[in-house]
Amino acid sequence: MFTNRQLGKLLLPLLIEQTLSIFVGMADTVMVSALGDAAISGVSLVDMFCNVLIALFSALATGGAVVASQFIGANRRSDACRVSNQLVLVVLGVSLLITIPMILFRAQLFGLVFGGVEQAVWDNAMTYLWITALSYPFIALYNAGAALYRSMNRAGTTMMVSLLINAINIAGNATLIYGVGMGVEGVAIPTLVSRAVGAICILGMLRKTHLQIHLLHGAWKPDFAMMRQILRIGVPSGLENSLFQLGRVLVVQVIAQFGTIQTAANAVANTMDTIGCLPGQTMNLAIITVVGQCVGARDFKQARYYTRKLLAWTYAATALVNIPLLLLLPWVLPIFDASAEALALASTLIMIHNGAAMILWPAAFTLPNALRAASDVRYTMIVALASMAVFRIALSYVIGLGLGMGAVGVWIAMVVDWICRVISYVARYRGSRWEKLAQPSAG
């Protein structure tokens, strides 16, 4: 169903998009680091906190992408178009329900998790949080539109919009921080503006009627049957992704108890670690389209073939990225204007993460997306949440706090979580249960 050229057409724009996003994130961190460790810590804690919600929006978008991909594979274009309108309604409604209380009760909600942080960190976090919370509906709508474009194998469009978003973001940061002299507001405001522009652009382009999937004029009446199909995939994935991010927040809470230096080191390491996961993050998006269309066509032999092929590509690319990164780490880390103690600890954390990623990450995080593309979302959710609770969270407290290993102990617990996921997902893929769970209505 997909030639290597078609796969390249899908993967290359996604890779560029993900690369841009990562390096712009690094640029954000570098610019914020000029404001001091308290600013780095405050922004990173809010980003971890807000990633819980953004993960929910992404999962809902993925739910729409899975259903749309299966309809395309089944040659049901009109149904795929109906998905687009209903997905927009779903993500807009959910995002507004989240945004309003997040703005009104931000101090109480943030304090439940990070109430013990230093006052300077708290002040920066509160400023950054209320501004970026306004962008939630926009990031939800952009994710929905981008997911639909990827379902059509038109990742080049999302890449161009991402270029625009990132250009606005980084130029705005540089202007407001270095030019105007703002604090964390100089990072938050460009984030809000860039996300708003991205949402408007992607939805505007989805109105083009020549597209396989496009917004239908006047078809904004809620279709609860279609919404159920989207939510059938999106809700379990949303719970999984959101609780995964929440687990990361709880883990960072452990690290925060060791002081600003360890929190800042964790923020720097997280920024660098995203580079090591770049091939996998790219493939996570692509594999939904590829396997989803194979499943929609009821060709499970090709679904398995492309899963193995794309997973092998992910392993090869992960090694190609991480080996040079680890070798060049002593020359890369100094770009962050953090304390020497924070950078030294960050180096250790990156070694743990990126070294293990070459062996474990693709099977732990890319393989389950192939299962999700076949609507096998309940199993992936149960495995992810159980592994998170037992290993990443509970074991973090045991090793990080109990044994006094701090952030290093927390990251060792993370690797154990990955091992559990690999064992569980490989076993599921080797069986046949996931083939029987594909959306019946997409056949």
Side-chain angles (χ1 to χ4, degrees):
M1 292 181 65
F2 295 88
T3 64
N4 284 342
R5 181 170 181 169
Q6 289 174 315
L7 291 175
K9 182 182 175 183
L10 176 63
L11 287 169
L12 182 58
L14 288 176
L15 179 61
I16 294 172
E17 180 181 346
Q18 294 298 304
T19 303
L20 284 171
S21 178
I22 287 172
F23 281 100
V24 169
M26 287 181 62
D28 282 350
T29 304
V30 170
M31 285 186 274
V32 174
S33 68
L35 303 174
D37 283 354
I40 299 176
S41 299
V43 170
S44 68
L45 291 179
V46 171
D47 282 342
M48 292 286 289
F49 186 71
C50 294
N51 281 344
V52 175
L53 306 177
I54 293 174
L56 174 61
F57 304 147
S58 297
L60 291 175
T62 298
V66 168
V67 177
S69 294
Q70 291 183 3
F71 278 134
I72 289 176
N75 292 317
R76 294 171 59 177
R77 177 178 171 178
S78 61
D79 286 327
C81 290
R82 287 171 53 221
V83 171
S84 63
N85 292 69
Q86 300 306 310
L87 178 59
V88 168
L89 291 175
V90 168
V91 299
L92 181 59
V94 172
S95 64
L96 289 175
L97 287 174
I98 290 173
T99 300
I100 295 171
M102 179 58 66
I103 293 174
L104 294 177
F105 306 108
R106 60 187 179 278
Q108 294 88 337
L109 293 171
F110 188 79
L112 286 175
V113 183
F114 297 118
V117 299
E118 298 172 11
Q119 187 61 45
V121 175
W122 175 272
D123 293 340
N124 281 291
M126 287 297 98
T127 300
Y128 184 69
L129 177 56
W130 85 264
I131 298 174
T132 54
L134 295 171
S135 72
Y136 293 164
F138 298 117
I139 191 64
L141 291 170
Y142 170 76
N143 283 344
L148 293 171
Y149 262 99
R150 294 179 192 121
S151 297
M152 297 182 281
N153 198 5
R154 288 177 173 265
T157 300
T158 63
M159 179 191 71
M160 296 306 295
V161 178
S162 179
L163 275 170
L164 177 62
I165 293 172
N166 288 323
I168 293 172
N169 193 29
I170 197 166
N173 287 348
T175 300
L176 296 182
I177 292 176
Y178 298 128
V180 181
M182 285 187 176
V184 293
E185 302 97 328
V187 181
I189 293 173
T191 297
L192 170 59
V193 173
S194 63
R195 287 175 176 176
V197 171
I200 292 169
C201 288
I202 201 78
L203 293 182
M205 290 186 295
L206 269 176
R207 298 176 63 190
K208 298 177 180 178
T209 56
H210 70 274
L211 298 173
Q212 278 181 300
I213 303 174
H214 59 267
L215 293 171
L216 298 173
H217 179 70
W220 295 106
K221 181 180 179 180
D223 182 339
F224 295 108
M226 183 66 74
M227 287 182 174
R228 279 195 296 270
Q229 291 189 56
I230 295 170
L231 294 173
R232 178 174 174 262
I233 308 297
V235 169
S237 296
L239 286 173
E240 174 188 339
N241 291 352
S242 298
L243 292 176
F244 173 77
Q245 294 296 335
L246 180 59
R248 292 186 67 192
V249 170
L250 295 175
V251 165
V252 172
Q253 184 186 43
V254 176
I255 296 174
Q257 295 181 42
F258 289 89
T260 301
I261 289 177
Q262 292 220 15
T263 305
N266 188 71
V268 172
N270 277 330
T271 302
M272 294 298 298
D273 292 343
T274 54
I275 299 175
C277 298
L278 175 60
Q281 296 288 4
T282 301
M283 199 64 73
N284 285 357
L285 299 172
I287 207 166
I288 290 288
T289 298
V290 175
V291 176
Q293 290 192 24
C294 292
V295 168
R298 289 301 184 267
D299 193 336
F300 293 103
K301 182 177 180 180
Q302 288 204 65
R304 287 183 178 273
Y305 167 75
Y306 284 113
T307 297
R308 293 192 301 270
K309 182 173 185 173
L310 295 179
L311 200 63
W313 285 9
T314 308
Y315 268 107
T318 300
L320 286 173
V321 168
N322 280 289
I323 291 174
L325 177 64
L326 293 177
L327 293 175
L328 294 172
L329 201 56
W331 294 273
V332 173
L333 276 181
I335 67 173
F336 296 96
D337 189 17
S339 63
E341 296 88 344
L343 292 181
L345 178 56
S347 177
T348 301
L349 299 181
I350 294 166
M351 288 288 184
I352 294 172
H353 180 283
N354 292 33
M358 289 185 281
I359 303 170
L360 302 171
W361 205 97
F365 293 97
T366 300
L367 179 58
N369 257 22
L371 300 176
R372 294 184 189 103
S375 304
D376 191 5
V377 291
R378 204 169 283 178
Y379 178 84
T380 57
M381 177 186 71
I382 292 171
V383 168
L385 296 184
S387 183
M388 167 66 78
V390 174
F391 297 112
R392 187 168 296 207
I393 297 177
L395 199 58
S396 288
Y397 277 92
V398 172
I399 303 178
L401 284 176
L403 299 181
M405 294 183 65
V408 172
V410 168
W411 287 50
I412 290 173
M414 172 197 68
V415 174
V416 177
D417 168 42
W418 291 2
I419 293 171
C420 174
R421 290 168 185 263
V422 169
I423 294 171
S424 301
Y425 294 139
V426 169
R428 184 69 162 187
Y429 169 76
R430 290 173 63 87
S432 60
R433 174 66 178 164
W434 61 273
E435 296 180 357
K436 303 172 184 177
L437 295 174
Q439 287 275 12
S441 58

